Amino acid sequence: MQAFVSHVTAALSGGSQRSGYPWGYFRIMTTTTRSLVVLGAGTAGTMVVNKLRHRLPTTEWRITVVDRDDAHDYQPGYLFLPFGLIEPDQVRRSRHALITEGVELVLGDVDRVDPTAREVSLLDGRTLRYDELVIATGTTPRPDQTPGMLGPEWHRSVGEFYTYEGALALRESLAAFSGGRLVVHVTEMPIKCPVAPLEFTFLADDFLGRRGLRDRTEIVFVTPLDGAFTKPVASRELGHLLADKRITVETDFLVEHVDQERRVLVSYDEREVPYDQLVTVPLNMGADFVARSGLGDELNYVPVDKHTSQSTEHPSIFVLGDASNIPTSKAGSVAHFSVEVFAENFVEHARGQAMTHSFDGHANCFVESGGGKAMLLDFNYDTEPLTGTFPLPRLGPMTLLKESRANHLGKLAFRHLYWNLLLPGRPLGLPAQMSMAGKVPAAVSA
Amino acid sequence: MPTTTIAGHAVEVNDEGFLTRPDQWSDELGSELARLIGIELTDDHWKLVHFLRDDFAEQGETATLRRVSTRTGTPVKSLFELFPGKPAKKMAYVAGLPKPKGCV
């Protein structure tokens, strides 16, 4: 390619071969490079730039990715930090090191996007022009949105594990915990990785058992949903597991405020749940610049076509990962499968062709259930998580929605796949489209 | 789908009693559905029910509690007073719409 370009450049500068080329040919080759700007260098954004850099010629596309800092966290690791099952340095790496050559990483906070001018302004005054924009700024826990959640006891008796700092603070709190009421609480759906609060509860049961504190601890799971989970088959299986582990479930509980002094959660319908240690999942919201730019819904998620991730309002904007409003889990596996579909589509889109690939909402995740076991969920927009088996390349079939040691080992192994295959954009051998092979349909699984 | 008769109209419902065909709904039916769950509809209730109907027609899905609160300017606390216990579900039921989806 390089030789070809310099050949043409020589021709353009007036070389003797000039007359040998038709005019249209020159016009194409002198078109200025187009610009793809990606906001957010997390799971989705990193995969997008790494995949597309290999697919789009540098002579045609400049790729820039913006993030506020240089720390990329393996977020599934947050779940294990409070129990000392993983070390902090296994969770965090530099974003720079994860982004392929030929992509520029800009550190800065996004102020707003102007879709008409096709311009992103940063809070420090810099602006970035784009031809195509990808928003991949995810979703963030917002304790400031619930009265009383932030306060002197934040990251103490009011803990959380959805941030690096919070997970580390919770490790201290749990190490000092001597029994009482441990309340695991979800503020409002949707949340990032919606099974994580249940996993936390199962791991806490295990952790307290090993420390001889389980009989002195009442574990309560408080949810705004009407069951352990929304999808019926998974809710049933997970509900059994909670009952087996003597975990009480408080359903339909929508928190109005946290009273840190009395150590109670108070709901809108005036129910109270007392705690000694609270582990809450605050309201999750998309980035504030989405709201400032007039691009979001009431939780700052950008409405998109759920099959192409293209903004319903602005055809030059795509939204990947947790930042969009697609009706499925906010989870890394959704980001992974949807980015694979998007990369194929974007190559067509960049050529001015129609996009021919469609994302079906496919997601799968290992659900840690304590005692060195885990379950596996696999689902999409139309099919809920089912029981049965899942054909995993090389490792063989994994059991779906049933606890097994193999699933737990799969979950542990995933961290290596994440850093070494997933983020660099290498194939994992998992199809983006969901398959029914091995699954037991809901109608006959009861 | 089972069919039942509410306020003299034959309507299709699911196993939880929610209407499965939003086009079979009317104000009259709404009043009767509310009565079945012990609610007498006032203007405040109607404002919310009609918002839900309009929003569903536009968006193709039932508004979440937060969306109802934000878009109509009604505090969540008031939603709990108007539709006690499970306001999201009760509003959807009265408005003849599917339960709002919780995400997996």
Side-chain angles (χ1 to χ4, degrees), chain B residues 4 9 19 23 28 30 34-35 39-40 57-58 63 74-75 85 87 92 97-99:
Chain B
T4 189
H9 301 280
L19 260 61
D23 60 325
E28 185 197 3
R35 204 187 57 77
I39 295 173
E40 185 74 36
E58 251 174 56
T74 315
L97 301 173
K99 273 197 297 194

Side-chain angles (χ1 to χ4, degrees), chain B residues 12 20 26 32 49 73 91 94:
Chain B
E12 285 177 27
T20 53
S26 63
E32 182 58 17
V49 170
M91 282 191 292
V94 172

Side-chain angles (χ1 to χ4, degrees), chain B residues 9-62:
Chain B
H9 301 280
V11 289
E12 285 177 27
V13 296
N14 68 11
D15 51 7
E16 289 184 282
F18 283 69
L19 260 61
T20 53
R21 288 184 47 192
D23 60 325
Q24 291 186 331
W25 188 87
S26 63
D27 278 17
E28 185 197 3
L29 209 63
S31 297
E32 182 58 17
L33 288 166
R35 204 187 57 77
L36 289 172
I37 55 168
I39 295 173
E40 185 74 36
L41 295 181
T42 64
D43 287 352
D44 287 345
H45 291 99
W46 277 117
K47 188 179 96 179
L48 300 169
V49 170
H50 285 142
F51 166 77
L52 250 85
R53 294 286 312 178
D54 295 345
D55 194 64
F56 184 86
E58 251 174 56
Q59 305 291 327
E61 54 186 88
T62 308

Side-chain angles (χ1 to χ4, degrees), chain A residues 18-70:
Chain A
R18 180 169 180 161
S19 57
Y21 293 92
W23 275 109
Y25 183 81
F26 288 110
R27 210 165 294 130
I28 290 164
M29 292 311 294
T30 53
T31 304
T32 44
T33 314
R34 286 187 282 172
S35 168
L36 169 66
V37 173
V38 177
L39 304 180
T43 305
T46 302
M47 278 190 289
V48 164
V49 297
N50 288 346
K51 268 189 185 298
L52 286 180
R53 187 63 295 170
H54 298 299
R55 304 286 297 273
L56 302 172
T58 47
T59 47
E60 291 174 26
W61 285 93
R62 194 169 60 243
I63 303 181
T64 309
V65 59
V66 182
D67 209 298
R68 58 159 52 117
D69 59 37
D70 194 24

